[in-house]
Amino acid sequence: MDRGAALRAVHSPCPRGGRPYAGGMYARRRRAYFLLMGGCLFLFVSAWSFVRLFSVEAAVALCVVAMVIPPVAAMVANRRGPDDRWWDDPSGDPKSDEWWDELDGKRRHED
């Protein structure tokens, strides 16, 4: 094993030696979550800071919209892409992993 392969094995972001950590995907989800939650906070604070001075009904409407955003943000942050294998990450058993890959259509079993 060359030095580069040894360093990659030691500093592998995947604890079980499977697929590498998809940091970009998680960063995108985290960014979307914080944007949604920031929008929620902005709506709530603006509703009772200055919108209420013009219309209490509009302030209440803004609060209702802000109330809906946190569950949506949680769903966005926990969403999985179609190519993400999260329910059957490689288990370490080659036969089982091959069987799951065949079921997922990722690898065709050739007879």
Side-chain angles (χ1 to χ4, degrees):
M1 180 184 302
D2 65 359
R3 185 172 189 272
L7 285 175
R8 282 189 300 274
V10 170
H11 297 292
S12 174
C14 187
R16 291 185 285 176
R19 293 184 322 163
Y21 177 72
M25 175 181 54
Y26 294 113
R28 197 170 35 252
R29 283 195 238 150
R30 190 174 44 244
R31 189 176 312 117
Y33 175 79
F34 284 120
L35 281 173
L36 284 167
M37 291 305 289
C40 173
L41 188 62
F42 173 77
L43 286 174
F44 185 75
V45 169
S46 66
W48 297 113
S49 295
F50 59 87
V51 174
R52 71 176 170 87
L53 299 174
F54 303 107
S55 171
V56 174
E57 292 83 10
V60 170
L62 285 177
C63 283
V64 169
V65 171
M67 180 181 68
V68 173
I69 292 176
V72 172
M75 287 186 272
V76 167
N78 291 313
R79 183 185 62 189
R80 300 290 182 174
D83 294 333
D84 294 342
R85 291 183 67 188
W86 59 276
W87 65 92
D88 64 343
D89 278 336
S91 63
D93 178 18
K95 190 76 167 168
S96 174
D97 292 341
E98 180 183 334
W99 184 76
W100 278 110
D101 286 340
E102 182 180 342
L103 282 177
D104 289 342
K106 299 202 189 281
R107 253 187 267 156
R108 297 286 179 216
H109 184 66
E110 297 176 13
D111 290 323

